Coordinates of all heavy atoms in Angstrom, one line a residue:
M360 N 57.1 10.5 189.2 CA 57.1 11.8 188.4 C 55.7 12.5 188.6 O 54.7 11.9 188.8 CB 57.3 11.5 186.9 CG 58.6 10.8 186.6 SD 60.1 11.8 186.9 CE 60.2 12.6 185.3
N361 N 55.8 13.8 188.6 CA 54.6 14.6 188.8 C 54.4 15.5 187.7 O 55.3 16.0 187.1 CB 54.8 15.4 190.1 CG 55.3 14.6 191.3 OD1 56.5 14.5 191.4 ND2 54.5 14.1 192.0
D362 N 53.1 15.8 187.4 CA 52.8 16.8 186.4 C 52.8 18.1 187.1 O 52.0 18.4 188.0 CB 51.4 16.5 185.8 CG 50.9 17.7 184.9 OD1 51.7 18.1 184.1 OD2 49.7 18.0 185.0
L363 N 53.8 18.9 186.8 CA 54.0 20.2 187.6 C 53.6 21.4 186.7 O 54.1 21.6 185.6 CB 55.5 20.3 188.0 CG 55.9 21.6 188.6 CD1 55.3 21.9 189.9 CD2 57.5 21.7 188.7
A364 N 52.7 22.2 187.3 CA 52.4 23.5 186.7 C 52.9 24.5 187.6 O 52.6 24.6 188.8 CB 50.9 23.7 186.5
C365 N 53.8 25.4 187.2 CA 54.4 26.4 188.0 C 54.1 27.8 187.6 O 54.4 28.2 186.4 CB 55.9 26.2 188.1 SG 56.7 27.4 189.2
G366 N 53.5 28.6 188.5 CA 53.2 29.9 188.2 C 54.2 31.0 188.6 O 53.9 32.2 188.6
V367 N 55.4 30.5 189.0 CA 56.4 31.4 189.5 C 57.1 32.0 188.3 O 58.2 31.5 187.9 CB 57.3 30.7 190.5 CG1 58.3 31.8 191.1 CG2 56.5 30.0 191.6
K368 N 56.6 33.0 187.7 CA 57.1 33.6 186.5 C 58.4 34.3 186.7 O 59.2 34.5 185.7 CB 56.1 34.5 185.8 CG 54.8 33.8 185.4 CD 53.9 34.7 184.6 CE 52.5 34.1 184.4 NZ 52.6 32.7 184.0
S369 N 58.7 34.6 187.9 CA 60.0 35.3 188.2 C 61.2 34.3 188.4 O 62.3 34.7 188.5 CB 59.9 36.1 189.5 OG 59.3 35.3 190.5
C370 N 60.9 33.0 188.3 CA 62.0 32.0 188.4 C 62.6 31.8 187.0 O 61.9 31.7 186.0 CB 61.4 30.7 188.9 SG 62.6 29.4 189.0
A371 N 63.9 31.7 187.0 CA 64.7 31.5 185.8 C 64.3 30.2 185.1 O 64.5 30.1 183.9 CB 66.1 31.5 186.1
Y372 N 63.8 29.2 185.8 CA 63.5 27.9 185.2 C 62.1 27.9 184.6 O 61.7 26.9 184.1 CB 63.7 26.8 186.2 CG 65.1 26.7 186.7 CD1 65.4 26.9 188.0 CD2 66.1 26.2 185.8 CE1 66.7 26.7 188.5 CE2 67.4 26.1 186.3 CZ 67.7 26.3 187.6 OH 69.0 26.2 188.0
N373 N 61.3 29.0 184.8 CA 59.9 29.0 184.4 C 59.7 29.4 182.9 O 60.4 30.4 182.5 CB 59.1 29.9 185.3 CG 57.6 29.8 185.1 OD1 57.1 30.2 184.1 ND2 56.9 29.2 186.0
D374 N 58.9 28.6 182.2 CA 58.6 29.0 180.8 C 57.2 28.6 180.6 O 56.9 27.4 180.5 CB 59.6 28.3 179.9 CG 59.5 28.9 178.5 OD1 58.6 29.7 178.2 OD2 60.2 28.4 177.6
C375 N 56.3 29.6 180.4 CA 54.9 29.3 180.1 C 54.3 28.3 181.1 O 53.7 27.3 180.7 CB 54.8 28.8 178.7 SG 55.3 29.9 177.4
N376 N 54.5 28.6 182.4 CA 53.9 27.7 183.5 C 54.5 26.3 183.5 O 54.0 25.5 184.2 CB 52.4 27.6 183.4 CG 51.7 28.8 184.0 OD1 52.3 29.8 184.3 ND2 50.4 28.6 184.3
C377 N 55.6 26.1 182.8 CA 56.4 24.9 182.9 C 57.7 25.1 183.6 O 58.2 26.2 183.6 CB 56.6 24.3 181.5 SG 55.1 23.8 180.7
C378 N 58.2 24.0 184.2 CA 59.5 24.1 184.9 C 60.6 23.4 184.0 O 60.3 22.3 183.5 CB 59.5 23.4 186.2 SG 61.0 23.5 187.1
K379 N 61.7 24.0 183.7 CA 62.7 23.4 182.8 C 63.6 22.5 183.6 O 64.4 21.8 182.9 CB 63.5 24.6 182.2 CG 62.8 25.5 181.3 CD 63.7 26.6 180.9 CE 63.0 27.6 180.0 NZ 63.8 28.8 179.7
R380 N 63.5 22.3 184.9 CA 64.4 21.5 185.6 C 64.0 20.0 185.5 O 62.8 19.7 185.2 CB 64.4 21.9 187.1 CG 65.0 23.2 187.4 CD 64.9 23.5 188.9 NE 65.6 22.5 189.6 CZ 66.8 22.5 190.0 NH1 67.6 23.5 189.7 NH2 67.3 21.5 190.8
E381 N 64.9 19.1 185.7 CA 64.6 17.7 185.8 C 63.8 17.3 187.0 O 63.0 16.4 187.0 CB 65.9 16.9 185.8 CG 66.8 17.0 184.6 CD 66.1 16.3 183.4 OE1 65.5 15.2 183.6 OE2 66.2 16.8 182.3
G382 N 64.0 18.1 188.1 CA 63.3 17.8 189.3 C 63.4 19.1 190.2 O 64.2 20.0 190.0
I383 N 62.5 19.1 191.2 CA 62.6 20.3 192.1 C 62.5 19.7 193.5 O 62.1 18.6 193.8 CB 61.4 21.3 191.9 CG1 60.1 20.6 192.2 CG2 61.5 21.9 190.5 CD1 58.9 21.6 192.3
K384 N 62.9 20.6 194.5 CA 62.9 20.3 195.9 C 61.9 21.2 196.5 O 62.0 22.4 196.4 CB 64.3 20.4 196.5 CG 64.3 20.4 198.0 CD 64.5 18.9 198.5 CE 64.6 18.8 200.0 NZ 65.8 19.4 200.5
V385 N 60.9 20.7 197.3 CA 60.0 21.5 198.0 C 60.4 21.4 199.5 O 60.6 20.3 200.0 CB 58.5 21.0 197.8 CG1 57.6 21.7 198.7 CG2 58.1 21.3 196.3
E386 N 60.4 22.5 200.2 CA 60.7 22.6 201.6 C 59.4 22.8 202.4 O 58.4 23.3 201.9 CB 61.7 23.6 201.9 CG 63.1 23.3 201.3 CD 64.2 24.3 201.6 OE1 63.8 25.4 201.9 OE2 65.4 23.9 201.5
G387 N 59.5 22.5 203.7 CA 58.4 22.7 204.6 C 58.2 21.6 205.6 O 57.1 21.1 205.8
T388 N 59.3 21.3 206.3 CA 59.3 20.2 207.2 C 58.2 20.3 208.2 O 57.6 19.3 208.6 CB 60.7 20.1 208.0 OG1 61.7 20.2 207.0 CG2 60.8 18.9 208.8
M389 N 57.9 21.5 208.7 CA 56.9 21.7 209.8 C 55.6 22.2 209.2 O 54.6 22.4 209.9 CB 57.4 22.7 210.8 CG 58.7 22.3 211.5 SD 58.7 20.8 212.3 CE 57.6 21.2 213.7
A390 N 55.5 22.3 207.9 CA 54.3 22.9 207.2 C 53.0 22.1 207.5 O 53.0 20.9 207.5 CB 54.5 23.0 205.7
E391 N 52.0 22.9 207.9 CA 50.7 22.3 208.0 C 49.7 23.0 207.1 O 48.5 22.7 207.1 CB 50.2 22.6 209.5 CG 51.1 21.8 210.5 CD 50.6 21.7 211.9 OE1 49.6 22.4 212.1 OE2 51.2 21.1 212.7
S392 N 50.2 23.8 206.2 CA 49.4 24.4 205.1 C 50.4 24.8 204.0 O 51.6 24.8 204.2 CB 48.7 25.6 205.6 OG 49.6 26.6 205.9
S393 N 49.8 25.1 202.8 CA 50.6 25.5 201.7 C 51.5 26.7 202.0 O 52.6 26.7 201.5 CB 49.7 25.9 200.5 OG 48.9 24.8 200.1
S394 N 51.0 27.6 202.8 CA 51.8 28.9 203.0 C 53.1 28.6 203.7 O 54.0 29.5 203.6 CB 50.9 29.9 203.7 OG 50.6 29.4 205.0
S395 N 53.3 27.5 204.3 CA 54.6 27.2 205.0 C 55.5 26.3 204.1 O 56.5 25.9 204.6 CB 54.3 26.5 206.3 OG 53.6 27.4 207.1
T396 N 55.1 26.1 202.9 CA 56.0 25.3 202.0 C 56.6 26.3 201.0 O 56.2 27.4 200.9 CB 55.2 24.3 201.2 OG1 54.3 25.0 200.3 CG2 54.4 23.4 202.1
C397 N 57.7 25.9 200.4 CA 58.2 26.7 199.3 C 59.1 25.8 198.4 O 59.5 24.7 198.7 CB 59.1 27.8 199.8 SG 60.7 27.3 200.6
C398 N 59.3 26.3 197.2 CA 60.1 25.6 196.2 C 61.6 26.0 196.4 O 61.9 27.2 196.1 CB 59.7 25.9 194.8 SG 60.8 25.1 193.6
A399 N 62.4 25.1 196.9 CA 63.8 25.4 197.2 C 64.6 25.5 195.9 O 65.8 26.0 195.9 CB 64.4 24.4 198.1
S400 N 64.0 25.1 194.8 CA 64.8 25.2 193.5 C 64.6 26.5 192.7 O 65.1 26.6 191.6 CB 64.3 24.0 192.6 OG 64.5 22.8 193.3
F401 N 63.8 27.4 193.3 CA 63.6 28.7 192.7 C 65.0 29.3 192.4 O 65.9 29.3 193.2 CB 62.9 29.6 193.7 CG 62.8 31.0 193.3 CD1 61.7 31.5 192.6 CD2 63.7 32.0 193.7 CE1 61.6 32.8 192.2 CE2 63.6 33.3 193.3 CZ 62.6 33.7 192.5
C402 N 65.0 29.9 191.2 CA 66.3 30.6 190.8 C 65.9 32.0 190.3 O 65.1 32.1 189.4 CB 66.9 29.8 189.7 SG 68.5 30.5 189.2
E403 N 66.5 32.9 190.9 CA 66.2 34.3 190.6 C 66.7 34.6 189.1 O 67.8 34.2 188.8 CB 67.0 35.2 191.6 CG 66.6 36.7 191.5 CD 67.4 37.5 192.6 OE1 67.7 36.9 193.6 OE2 67.7 38.6 192.3
C404 N 65.9 35.3 188.4 CA 66.3 35.7 187.0 C 67.7 36.4 187.0 O 67.9 37.3 187.9 CB 65.3 36.5 186.3 SG 63.8 35.6 186.0
G405 N 68.5 36.1 186.1 CA 69.8 36.9 186.0 C 70.9 36.3 186.7 O 72.1 36.7 186.6
S406 N 70.7 35.2 187.5 CA 71.8 34.6 188.2 C 72.6 33.8 187.3 O 72.1 33.3 186.2 CB 71.3 33.8 189.4 OG 70.9 32.5 188.9
P407 N 73.9 33.5 187.5 CA 74.8 32.8 186.6 C 74.3 31.5 186.1 O 74.5 31.1 185.0 CB 76.1 32.7 187.4 CG 76.0 33.7 188.4 CD 74.6 33.9 188.7
R408 N 73.6 30.7 187.0 CA 73.3 29.3 186.6 C 72.0 29.3 185.7 O 71.6 28.3 185.2 CB 73.1 28.4 187.8 CG 72.0 28.8 188.7 CD 72.1 27.9 190.0 NE 71.2 28.4 191.0 CZ 70.2 27.7 191.5 NH1 70.1 26.4 191.1 NH2 69.4 28.1 192.4
V409 N 71.5 30.5 185.4 CA 70.3 30.5 184.5 C 70.7 30.1 183.1 O 69.9 29.5 182.4 CB 69.7 32.0 184.5 CG1 68.7 32.1 183.5 CG2 69.2 32.3 185.9
T410 N 71.8 30.5 182.6 CA 72.1 30.4 181.2 C 71.9 28.9 180.7 O 71.2 28.7 179.7 CB 73.6 30.8 180.9 OG1 73.7 32.1 181.5 CG2 73.9 30.9 179.5
S411 N 72.5 28.0 181.4 CA 72.4 26.6 180.9 C 71.0 26.1 181.1 O 70.5 25.3 180.3 CB 73.4 25.7 181.6 OG 73.2 25.8 183.0
A412 N 70.3 26.5 182.2 CA 68.9 26.1 182.4 C 68.0 26.5 181.3 O 67.1 25.7 180.9 CB 68.4 26.6 183.7
C413 N 68.2 27.6 180.7 CA 67.4 28.2 179.7 C 67.5 27.5 178.4 O 66.8 27.7 177.4 CB 67.5 29.7 179.6 SG 66.8 30.6 180.9
E414 N 68.6 26.6 178.2 CA 68.8 25.9 177.0 C 67.9 24.7 176.9 O 67.7 24.0 175.9 CB 70.2 25.5 176.9 CG 71.1 26.7 176.6 CD 72.6 26.4 176.8 OE1 72.9 25.2 177.1 OE2 73.4 27.3 176.6
C415 N 67.3 24.3 178.1 CA 66.4 23.1 178.1 C 65.0 23.4 177.6 O 64.6 24.6 177.6 CB 66.3 22.6 179.5 SG 67.9 22.3 180.3
E416 N 64.3 22.4 177.1 CA 62.9 22.6 176.7 C 62.1 22.5 177.9 O 62.3 21.7 178.8 CB 62.5 21.4 175.8 CG 63.2 21.4 174.4 CD 62.8 22.7 173.6 OE1 61.6 23.0 173.7 OE2 63.7 23.3 173.0
P417 N 61.1 23.4 178.0 CA 60.2 23.3 179.2 C 59.4 22.0 179.1 O 59.1 21.5 178.1 CB 59.3 24.6 179.0 CG 59.3 24.9 177.6 CD 60.7 24.5 177.1
K418 N 59.0 21.5 180.3 CA 58.3 20.3 180.3 C 57.4 20.3 181.5 O 57.6 21.0 182.5 CB 59.2 19.1 180.3 CG 60.2 19.0 181.4 CD 61.2 17.9 181.2 CE 62.2 17.9 182.3 NZ 62.9 19.2 182.5
R419 N 56.4 19.4 181.5 CA 55.4 19.4 182.6 C 55.8 18.3 183.6 O 55.4 18.4 184.8 CB 54.0 19.2 182.1 CG 53.5 20.4 181.3 CD 53.1 21.5 182.3 NE 52.1 21.2 183.2 CZ 50.8 21.5 183.1 NH1 50.4 22.3 182.0 NH2 49.9 21.2 183.9
V420 N 56.4 17.2 183.2 CA 56.7 16.1 184.0 C 58.0 16.3 184.8 O 59.0 16.4 184.2 CB 56.6 14.8 183.2 CG1 56.9 13.6 184.2 CG2 55.3 14.6 182.5
T421 N 57.9 16.3 186.1 CA 59.1 16.6 186.9 C 59.1 15.7 188.1 O 58.0 15.3 188.6 CB 59.0 18.1 187.4 OG1 58.8 18.9 186.2 CG2 60.2 18.5 188.1
N422 N 60.2 15.5 188.6 CA 60.4 14.7 189.8 C 60.4 15.6 191.0 O 61.2 16.5 191.0 CB 61.7 13.8 189.7 CG 61.8 12.9 190.9 OD1 60.8 12.3 191.3 ND2 63.0 12.7 191.4
I423 N 59.6 15.4 192.0 CA 59.5 16.3 193.1 C 59.9 15.6 194.4 O 59.3 14.6 194.8 CB 58.1 16.9 193.3 CG1 57.7 17.7 192.1 CG2 58.1 17.8 194.5 CD1 56.3 18.2 192.1
I424 N 61.0 16.1 195.0 CA 61.4 15.6 196.3 C 60.9 16.6 197.3 O 61.0 17.8 197.1 CB 63.0 15.6 196.4 CG1 63.6 14.6 195.3 CG2 63.4 15.2 197.8 CD1 63.1 13.2 195.4
C425 N 60.3 16.2 198.4 CA 59.6 17.1 199.2 C 59.8 16.8 200.7 O 59.6 15.7 201.2 CB 58.1 17.0 198.9 SG 57.1 18.2 199.9
D426 N 60.1 17.9 201.4 CA 60.3 17.8 202.9 C 59.0 18.0 203.7 O 59.0 17.9 204.9 CB 61.3 18.9 203.3 CG 62.7 18.4 203.0 OD1 63.0 17.2 202.8 OD2 63.6 19.3 203.0
A427 N 57.9 18.4 203.0 CA 56.7 18.6 203.7 C 56.0 17.3 204.1 O 55.0 16.9 203.5 CB 55.8 19.5 202.8
V428 N 56.5 16.7 205.1 CA 56.1 15.4 205.5 C 54.7 15.3 206.1 O 54.1 14.2 206.3 CB 57.1 14.7 206.5 CG1 58.4 14.4 205.8 CG2 57.3 15.6 207.7
K429 N 54.1 16.5 206.4 CA 52.7 16.5 206.9 C 51.7 16.6 205.8 O 50.5 16.6 206.1 CB 52.6 17.7 207.9 CG 53.4 17.5 209.2 CD 53.2 18.6 210.2 CE 54.0 18.3 211.4 NZ 53.9 19.4 212.4
C430 N 52.1 16.6 204.6 CA 51.2 16.6 203.4 C 50.8 15.1 203.1 O 51.6 14.2 203.2 CB 51.9 17.2 202.2 SG 50.9 17.1 200.7
R431 N 49.5 14.9 202.8 CA 49.1 13.6 202.6 C 49.7 12.9 201.3 O 49.6 11.7 201.1 CB 47.5 13.5 202.5 CG 46.9 14.0 201.3 CD 45.5 13.7 201.2 NE 44.7 14.2 202.4 CZ 43.4 14.3 202.5 NH1 42.7 14.0 201.4 NH2 42.8 14.8 203.5
Y432 N 50.2 13.8 200.4 CA 50.8 13.2 199.2 C 52.3 12.9 199.4 O 52.9 12.4 198.5 CB 50.7 14.3 198.1 CG 49.4 14.6 197.6 CD1 48.8 15.8 197.8 CD2 48.6 13.6 197.1 CE1 47.5 16.1 197.4 CE2 47.3 13.8 196.6 CZ 46.8 15.1 196.8 OH 45.5 15.4 196.4
N433 N 52.8 13.1 200.6 CA 54.2 12.9 200.9 C 54.4 11.4 201.3 O 53.8 10.9 202.3 CB 54.7 13.8 202.0 CG 56.2 13.9 202.0 OD1 56.9 12.9 202.2 ND2 56.8 15.1 201.8
D434 N 55.3 10.7 200.6 CA 55.6 9.3 200.9 C 57.1 9.2 201.0 O 57.8 9.2 199.9 CB 55.0 8.4 199.8 CG 55.3 6.9 200.1 OD1 55.7 6.6 201.2 OD2 55.2 6.1 199.2
D435 N 57.6 9.2 202.2 CA 59.0 9.1 202.4 C 59.8 10.2 201.6 O 60.8 9.9 201.0 CB 59.5 7.7 202.0 CG 60.9 7.4 202.6 OD1 61.3 8.1 203.6 OD2 61.6 6.5 202.1
K436 N 59.3 11.4 201.6 CA 59.9 12.6 201.0 C 59.8 12.6 199.5 O 60.4 13.3 198.8 CB 61.3 12.8 201.5 CG 61.4 13.0 203.0 CD 62.6 13.7 203.4 CE 62.5 14.1 204.9 NZ 63.7 14.8 205.4
N437 N 58.9 11.7 198.9 CA 58.6 11.7 197.5 C 57.2 12.2 197.4 O 56.3 11.8 198.1 CB 58.8 10.3 196.9 CG 60.2 9.9 196.8 OD1 61.0 10.6 196.1 ND2 60.5 8.8 197.5
C438 N 56.9 13.1 196.4 CA 55.6 13.6 196.2 C 54.8 12.6 195.3 O 55.3 12.2 194.3 CB 55.6 14.9 195.5 SG 53.9 15.5 195.1
T439 N 53.6 12.1 195.8 CA 52.8 11.2 195.0 C 51.7 11.8 194.3 O 50.9 11.1 193.7 CB 52.3 10.1 196.0 OG1 51.4 10.6 196.9 CG2 53.4 9.3 196.7
A440 N 51.5 13.1 194.4 CA 50.4 13.8 193.7 C 50.6 13.7 192.2 O 51.7 14.0 191.7 CB 50.3 15.2 194.2
K441 N 49.6 13.4 191.5 CA 49.7 13.3 190.0 C 50.0 14.7 189.5 O 50.8 14.9 188.6 CB 48.4 12.8 189.4 CG 48.3 11.2 189.5 CD 47.3 10.7 188.5 CE 47.4 9.2 188.5 NZ 46.6 8.6 189.5
H442 N 49.2 15.7 190.0 CA 49.4 17.1 189.5 C 49.7 18.0 190.7 O 49.1 17.9 191.7 CB 48.1 17.6 188.8 CG 48.2 19.0 188.4 ND1 48.8 19.3 187.2 CD2 47.9 20.1 189.0 CE1 48.7 20.6 187.0 NE2 48.2 21.2 188.1
V443 N 50.7 18.8 190.4 CA 51.2 19.8 191.5 C 51.2 21.2 190.9 O 51.7 21.4 189.8 CB 52.6 19.3 192.0 CG1 53.1 20.4 193.0 CG2 52.5 18.0 192.8
D444 N 50.7 22.1 191.7 CA 50.8 23.5 191.3 C 51.7 24.2 192.3 O 51.5 24.2 193.5 CB 49.4 24.2 191.4 CG 48.5 23.8 190.3 OD1 48.9 24.1 189.1 OD2 47.4 23.2 190.5
V445 N 52.7 24.9 191.8 CA 53.6 25.8 192.6 C 53.2 27.2 192.2 O 53.0 27.5 191.0 CB 55.1 25.5 192.3 CG1 55.9 26.5 193.0 CG2 55.4 24.1 192.8
T446 N 53.0 28.0 193.2 CA 52.5 29.4 193.0 C 53.5 30.4 193.6 O 54.3 30.0 194.5 CB 51.1 29.6 193.6 OG1 51.1 29.3 195.0 CG2 50.1 28.7 192.9
G447 N 53.3 31.7 193.3 CA 54.1 32.7 193.8 C 54.6 33.6 192.6 O 55.8 33.8 192.4
S448 N 53.6 34.2 191.9 CA 54.0 34.8 190.6 C 54.9 36.0 190.8 O 55.6 36.4 189.9 CB 52.7 35.3 189.9 OG 51.9 36.1 190.7
H449 N 54.9 36.6 192.0 CA 55.8 37.8 192.2 C 57.0 37.5 193.1 O 57.6 38.4 193.7 CB 55.0 39.0 192.7 CG 53.9 39.4 191.8 ND1 54.1 39.9 190.6 CD2 52.6 39.4 192.0 CE1 52.9 40.1 190.0 NE2 52.0 39.8 190.8
A450 N 57.3 36.2 193.3 CA 58.3 35.8 194.2 C 59.7 36.4 193.8 O 60.1 36.4 192.6 CB 58.4 34.3 194.3
M451 N 60.4 36.9 194.8 CA 61.8 37.3 194.6 C 62.8 36.4 195.2 O 63.9 36.3 194.9 CB 62.0 38.7 195.2 CG 61.1 39.8 194.6 SD 61.3 40.0 192.8 CE 62.9 40.7 192.8
I452 N 62.3 35.6 196.2 CA 63.1 34.6 196.9 C 62.3 33.3 197.0 O 61.0 33.4 196.9 CB 63.6 35.1 198.3 CG1 62.4 35.5 199.1 CG2 64.6 36.2 198.1 CD1 62.8 35.9 200.5
S453 N 62.9 32.2 197.3 CA 62.2 30.9 197.3 C 61.1 30.9 198.4 O 60.1 30.3 198.1 CB 63.2 29.8 197.5 OG 63.8 29.9 198.8
S454 N 61.3 31.6 199.5 CA 60.3 31.5 200.5 C 59.0 32.2 200.2 O 58.0 32.1 200.9 CB 60.8 32.1 201.8 OG 61.2 33.5 201.7
E455 N 59.0 32.9 199.0 CA 57.7 33.6 198.6 C 57.0 32.7 197.6 O 56.0 33.1 197.0 CB 58.1 34.9 197.9 CG 58.6 35.9 199.0 CD 59.1 37.2 198.4 OE1 59.3 37.4 197.2 OE2 59.4 38.2 199.2
T456 N 57.5 31.5 197.4 CA 56.7 30.5 196.6 C 56.0 29.5 197.5 O 56.3 29.5 198.7 CB 57.7 29.7 195.7 OG1 58.6 28.9 196.5 CG2 58.6 30.7 194.8
E457 N 55.1 28.8 197.0 CA 54.5 27.7 197.8 C 53.9 26.6 196.9 O 53.6 26.8 195.8 CB 53.4 28.3 198.7 CG 52.2 28.8 198.0 CD 51.2 29.4 199.0 OE1 51.6 30.2 199.9 OE2 50.0 29.0 198.9
C458 N 53.8 25.4 197.5 CA 53.1 24.3 196.9 C 51.6 24.4 197.2 O 51.2 24.2 198.3 CB 53.7 23.0 197.3 SG 52.7 21.6 196.6
A459 N 50.8 24.8 196.2 CA 49.4 25.0 196.4 C 48.6 23.7 196.5 O 47.5 23.7 196.8 CB 48.8 25.9 195.3
T460 N 49.3 22.6 196.2 CA 48.7 21.3 196.2 C 48.7 20.6 197.6 O 48.1 19.6 197.8 CB 49.3 20.4 195.1 OG1 49.3 21.1 193.9 CG2 48.6 19.1 195.0
F461 N 49.5 21.2 198.5 CA 49.6 20.7 199.8 C 48.2 20.4 200.4 O 47.3 21.2 200.4 CB 50.3 21.7 200.7 CG 50.5 21.2 202.2 CD1 51.7 20.7 202.6 CD2 49.4 21.3 203.1 CE1 51.8 20.3 203.9 CE2 49.5 20.9 204.4 CZ 50.7 20.4 204.8
V462 N 48.0 19.2 201.0 CA 46.8 18.8 201.7 C 47.3 18.2 203.0 O 48.1 17.2 203.0 CB 45.9 17.9 201.0 CG1 44.7 17.5 201.8 CG2 45.5 18.5 199.6
G463 N 46.8 18.7 204.1 CA 47.2 18.1 205.4 C 46.7 16.6 205.6 O 45.7 16.3 205.0
R464 N 47.3 15.9 206.4 CA 46.9 14.5 206.6 C 45.7 14.4 207.5 O 45.5 15.2 208.3 CB 48.0 13.7 207.2 CG 49.2 13.5 206.3 CD 50.3 12.7 207.0 NE 51.5 12.7 206.2 CZ 51.8 11.8 205.3 NH1 50.9 10.8 205.0 NH2 52.9 11.8 204.6
Ligands
LIG857 S1 51.7 18.1 197.1 FE1 52.5 17.7 199.1 S2 54.1 16.2 198.9 FE2 53.6 17.0 196.8 S3 55.2 18.7 196.6 FE3 53.3 19.6 197.4 S4 53.6 19.6 199.7 FE4 55.1 18.2 198.8

């Protein structure tokens, strides 16, 4: 489990820098820096699946599955970083988000 702080305020799962999801998926198979990663779990505000998501309490502890295998925190597609920051405050689509905690090996 990871302590996740998410600054993607345009995501339907975001509440006060917390993510309401049980877990998120980060993409970036070929990523060598943060800018090539993104949160694949981003959900645009107003989409149909938002309603049930918003009934959950926001929380900081989240399970992160990650395809960014060139990150030093990546262990067999599980993120081992204690604290993770996802950024992209004006994101309209998932590719405009990124994992700011990415560190190359
Ligand atoms: S810190 Fe590294 S392993 Fe963890 S989610 Fe970000 S890119 Fe993936």
Side-chain angles (χ1 to χ4, degrees):
M360 300 291 273
N361 313 88
D362 173 42
L363 171 66
C365 180
V367 187
K368 299 189 187 313
S369 52
C370 176
Y372 296 115
N373 188 289
D374 189 358
C375 299
N376 275 16
C377 292
C378 180
K379 295 175 181 174
R380 292 180 56 93
E381 293 291 324
I383 64 166
K384 170 89 181 288
V385 170
E386 291 183 340
T388 308
M389 303 301 289
E391 296 191 354
S392 66
S393 293
S394 61
S395 299
T396 65
C397 71
C398 177
S400 304
F401 172 90
C402 183
E403 192 179 329
C404 290
S406 81
R408 62 190 172 120
V409 172
T410 308
S411 57
C413 288
E414 291 169 0
C415 306
E416 291 295 319
K418 56 188 179 307
R419 290 287 296 261
V420 181
T421 306
N422 187 39
I423 302 177
I424 302 299
C425 181
D426 282 341
V428 292
K429 294 183 179 178
C430 175
R431 77 168 56 160
Y432 294 116
N433 196 301
D434 180 13
D435 197 22
K436 300 201 171 180
N437 290 299
C438 176
T439 63
K441 283 199 170 84
H442 177 83
V443 172
D444 286 300
V445 172
T446 59
S448 56
H449 301 297
M451 298 302 290
I452 54 175
S453 64
S454 61
E455 293 174 349
T456 66
E457 66 181 52
C458 175
T460 305
F461 180 101
V462 179
R464 292 182 189 271

